[in-house]
Amino acid sequence: MKLRIGYELDYDFPQPTPVILMLNVHFSRVSDLAPPDHIRIQPSVPVSAYRDSFGNWCTRLLAPQGPMRITADAIISDSGLPESHDLNAGQVPVEQLPEESLVFLLASRFCDSDRLLDLAWQLFGHARPGAPRVQAICDFVNQRIAFNYNDASVTRMATDAYGEGRGVCRDYAHLAIAFCRAMNIPARYCTCYLGDVGTPPPYPPGDFAASFEAYLEGGWQMFDPRNNVPRIGRVLIARGRDAADVAIATTFGPNTLTSFKVWTDEVVEGAT
């Protein structure tokens, strides 16, 4: 299967403003792209790129005063199959975890797992360690939080999401990650493209999606507490400790996002 992926972001800057973008498809999927998802900026400005400490591809620029459009459009190949999990994967003891996974055991800005230790063990201590325990966490979070785009907040932490019982996909991911870490399971935040392939209409407006990966026997596995069912066509963009590490745009000055469009659409072969 092929997917057309991309975005169109329109900003207005009242003054020249430094910007860091994290919008390119993750390096692990670059070989599936044709053509590449090059970022196009209007008006044209010089850009530079670097990899952050998690391996994500980042783009730096100085936005001039006035309106600016940031866009990309690409085709990516995908298996077309629903995501699968090894539900028999066990939990890896902390002393046997690889060093690179240990940072994902620690509390972070939005995943305040240290404040959820007792609650996590009360809720999930009975679940079989490993994938069954992670799935039990996803089931709980899926029912605990009511999804509403109007409830989006850039400052809501995992404990807030638990207490308020509302939020968007990032809040589902943050709470599930925090519970996993409280149960000694490394978990990392993921931002992705995720369309509606294989789901019944009507479809909501396109958006980027948050999910997470848990480290279990056999390696990292993707989980999605917001949808909590296997999905088709998830395309990874970036990974980090939480949403603060993988913001699609970090701006160092005042600005207004005037328009926001994201698409992840199946390409129908032979369509005119």
Side-chain angles (χ1 to χ4, degrees):
M1 184 179 73
K2 294 185 183 298
L3 297 169
R4 183 181 180 187
I5 58 173
Y7 52 84
E8 185 178 275
L9 313 178
D10 288 320
Y11 287 90
D12 188 69
F13 295 96
Q15 63 193 37
T17 304
V19 179
I20 298 175
L21 303 174
M22 199 175 297
L23 287 164
N24 287 103
V25 168
H26 194 262
F27 68 83
S28 60
R29 295 295 305 273
V30 165
S31 62
D32 296 325
L33 285 166
D37 61 333
H38 292 313
I39 297 175
R40 299 190 298 273
I41 300 173
Q42 300 169 330
S44 180
V45 296
V47 300
S48 61
Y50 68 96
R51 292 201 183 278
D52 67 8
S53 59
F54 300 105
N56 303 312
W57 191 246
C58 307
T59 301
R60 297 179 67 184
L61 60 97
L62 180 64
Q65 181 180 358
M68 168 172 277
R69 171 166 292 179
I70 303 168
T71 186
D73 190 37
I75 301 294
I76 191 165
S77 297
D78 190 84
S79 71
L81 300 174
E83 297 169 310
S84 61
H85 300 101
D86 180 2
L87 296 179
N88 294 314
Q91 186 165 331
V92 180
V94 173
E95 65 274 16
Q96 296 179 20
L97 288 168
E99 285 76 11
E100 60 270 18
S101 72
L102 296 179
V103 66
F104 300 108
L105 281 177
L106 307 178
S108 59
R109 167 69 177 87
F110 293 113
C111 300
D112 46 348
S113 52
D114 50 336
R115 300 176 62 188
L116 292 169
L117 285 170
D118 292 341
L119 177 62
W121 283 97
Q122 291 171 18
L123 292 173
F124 311 113
H126 66 282
R128 183 158 62 91
R133 180 170 282 171
V134 178
Q135 188 57 56
I137 289 171
C138 290
D139 293 342
F140 177 87
V141 171
N142 179 266
Q143 294 299 310
R144 179 73 184 187
I145 298 177
F147 183 90
N148 192 321
Y149 278 115
N150 293 327
D151 289 328
S153 169
V154 297
T155 59
R156 184 181 291 121
M157 297 188 296
T159 49
D160 299 325
Y162 174 81
E164 297 172 12
R166 59 194 178 98
V168 293
C169 58
R170 63 178 265 158
D171 300 301
Y172 288 77
H174 285 154
L175 182 54
I177 289 169
F179 277 140
C180 284
R181 293 176 184 174
M183 304 298 292
N184 298 328
I185 302 170
R188 60 191 185 188
Y189 184 98
C190 301
T191 183
C192 311
Y193 288 100
L194 181 62
D196 299 298
V197 177
T199 65
Y203 301 135
D207 199 355
F208 295 113
S211 53
F212 77 98
E213 293 174 325
Y215 190 86
L216 303 167
E217 287 180 349
W220 294 99
Q221 290 197 44
M222 182 74 75
F223 292 87
D224 181 353
R226 158 69 176 98
N227 295 292
N228 209 29
V229 293
R231 296 295 296 269
I232 298 172
R234 190 186 308 272
V235 179
L236 180 67
I237 296 174
R239 300 182 178 117
R241 293 166 297 182
D242 56 36
D245 287 334
V246 296
I248 61 171
T250 302
T251 56
F252 298 88
N255 65 90
T256 302
L257 179 62
T258 59
S259 178
F260 177 88
K261 298 177 184 178
V262 179
W263 51 90
T264 310
D265 302 321
E266 182 178 5
V267 177
V268 179
E269 298 292 342
T272 58

